């Protein structure tokens, strides 16, 4: 631990932040897992504000790095020796740096800047169940508007029901319309492969998942 | 704007509500006397220290760390400040 220059966190939160800020000022880089624990089984992650507080108080830019692992291993509640059936594949994605200075200036205080930065970082991550539900409602609204489905509200559409033939009873022309609407709203260009599209358009849930995974994480800082 | 330092005990609670609202963008209606700072209002240990510093700036008096560490609810904050301002 000491050799790796870990910073202790068994004292209290504030001392830890001060130690981290001091380490950065000494010219070190700091790697922080801002969720502060392992990802839970459903893949949802809620960030703590410590990492953002360090960046804000040290006035250093943040480089977000997303680590995905498929199939999941070493998850919470799973015995560590129970290895997945095939080797896990890690995908490490380095995002653009986030400039801390305008963020602090706009927030007006370090306390609020840390909150805003944490909310922004949270947008890079899979949503929790409640947020996903509201995102599915957003997609339902998009479908209703794009296809001008009259007399239908988001509540009438089952997230798991098929969109085509059965369920909503959409056809291939509707699929094209919907593709255009998705491209306009989320900047996602659907592939030409009909096989893949059939999977994406299987249900609202499938569609929401696809959009969630492909959308550009445009600046959502307030 | 945070109003001037509360003069009476009755003024402390609305004054604390204002500060919590301004510092942490908390919804005023959530800041009840029973609300727990940590579990209900999502305040973390770093925020708590910032809050203590803010109180000191505004009142010119310092909350004892052990008093502040025992604070859990908004009522506890009001009581701690009440004791402080009496002195």
């Amino acid at each position: 631990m000491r050799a790796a220059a870990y910073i202790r966190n068994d004292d209290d939160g504030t001392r830890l932040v001060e130690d981290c800020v001091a380490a950065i000022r000494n010219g070190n880089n700091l790697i922080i897992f801002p969720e502060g624990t392992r990802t839970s089984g459903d893949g949802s992650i809620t960030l703590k504000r410590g990492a953002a507080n360090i960046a804000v108080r040290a006035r250093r830019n943040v480089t977000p790095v997303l680590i995905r692992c498929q199939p999941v291993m070493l998850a919470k509640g799973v015995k560590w020796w129970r290895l997945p059936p095939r080797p896990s594949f890690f995908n490490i994605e380095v995002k653009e740096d986030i400039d801390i200075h305008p963020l602090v200036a706009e927030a007006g205080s370090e306390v609020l800047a840390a909150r805003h930065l944490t909310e922004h970082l949270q947008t890079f991550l899979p949503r929790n169940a409640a947020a996903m539900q509201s995102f599915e409602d957003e997609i339902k609204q998009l479908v209703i508007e794009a296809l001008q489905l009259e007399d239908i509200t988001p509540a009438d559409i089952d997230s798991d029901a098929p969109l085509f033939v059965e369920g909503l009873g959409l056809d291939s022309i509707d699929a094209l319309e919907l593709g255009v609407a998705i491209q306009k709203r989320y900047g996602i260009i659907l592939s030409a492969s009909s096989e893949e599209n059939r999977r994406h358009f299987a249900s609202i849930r499938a569609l929401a998942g696809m959009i969630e995974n492909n959308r550009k994480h445009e600046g959502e800082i307030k | 704007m945070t109003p001037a330092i509360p003069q009476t005990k009755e003024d402390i609670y609305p004054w604390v509500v204002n500060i919590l609202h301004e510092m942490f963008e908390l919804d005023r209606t959530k800041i009840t006397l029973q609300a727990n700072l940590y579990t209900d209002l999502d305040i973390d240990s770093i925020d708590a220290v910032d809050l203590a510093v803010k109180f000191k700036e505004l009142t010119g008096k310092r909350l004892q760390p052990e008093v502040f560490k025992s604070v859990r609810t908004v009522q506890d904050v009001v009581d701690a400040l009440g004791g402080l301002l009496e002195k």
Side-chain angles (χ1 to χ4, degrees), chain B:
Chain B
M1 272 299 294
T2 304
I5 305 164
Q7 299 301 319
T8 66
K9 278 210 147 176
E10 290 70 43
D11 296 339
I12 296 176
Y13 171 54
W15 185 77
V16 168
V17 170
N18 265 325
I19 291 174
L20 291 175
H21 168 72
E22 280 173 19
M23 277 186 80
F24 306 117
E25 291 182 337
L26 291 171
D27 188 340
R28 288 175 195 273
T29 59
K30 284 192 182 161
I31 312 171
T32 60
L33 283 168
Q34 296 78 35
N36 183 302
L37 296 183
Y38 303 100
T39 56
D40 298 325
L41 301 180
D42 188 31
I43 285 177
D44 63 22
S45 58
I46 305 166
D47 295 331
V49 172
D50 284 333
L51 190 57
V53 170
K54 186 80 174 179
F55 286 146
K56 179 162 183 276
E57 273 174 23
L58 293 171
T59 64
K61 293 174 184 174
R62 189 165 174 273
L63 278 171
Q64 292 306 308
E66 59 274 14
V67 173
F68 205 76
K69 273 187 179 159
S70 67
V71 161
R72 289 288 172 276
T73 63
V74 174
Q75 179 75 61
D76 295 341
V77 175
V78 170
D79 292 344
L81 286 169
L84 195 68
L85 295 173
E86 267 173 14
K87 282 174 200 168

Side-chain angles (χ1 to χ4, degrees), chain A residues 61-160:
Chain A
N61 296 344
V62 174
T63 307
V65 178
L66 287 168
I67 305 175
R68 297 186 187 83
C69 172
Q70 202 45 256
V72 172
M73 60 185 285
L74 301 175
K76 265 190 175 168
V78 179
K79 303 269 183 269
W80 62 265
W81 64 84
R82 293 223 185 280
L83 294 177
R86 58 197 161 87
S88 284
F89 182 78
F90 283 87
N91 176 295
I92 298 177
E93 186 185 349
V94 181
K95 299 274 190 184
E96 289 286 318
D97 281 6
I98 298 171
D99 189 350
I100 206 80
H101 297 92
L103 212 136
V104 175
E106 203 177 314
S109 74
E110 292 180 335
V111 176
L112 289 182
R115 275 172 159 69
H116 296 171
L117 177 56
T118 304
E119 283 164 21
H120 179 58
L121 292 174
Q122 189 76 51
T123 66
F124 290 107
L125 300 167
R127 293 153 191 258
N128 63 27
M132 202 62 212
Q133 161 93 50
S134 85
F135 187 54
E136 283 170 7
D137 285 344
E138 181 182 319
I139 304 295
K140 287 176 188 176
Q141 194 58 47
L142 177 84
V143 171
I144 290 168
E145 280 166 20
L147 307 179
Q148 297 171 359
L149 302 176
E150 285 169 8
D151 305 326
I152 291 185
T153 67
D156 297 327
I157 305 175
D158 180 354
S159 292
D160 288 315

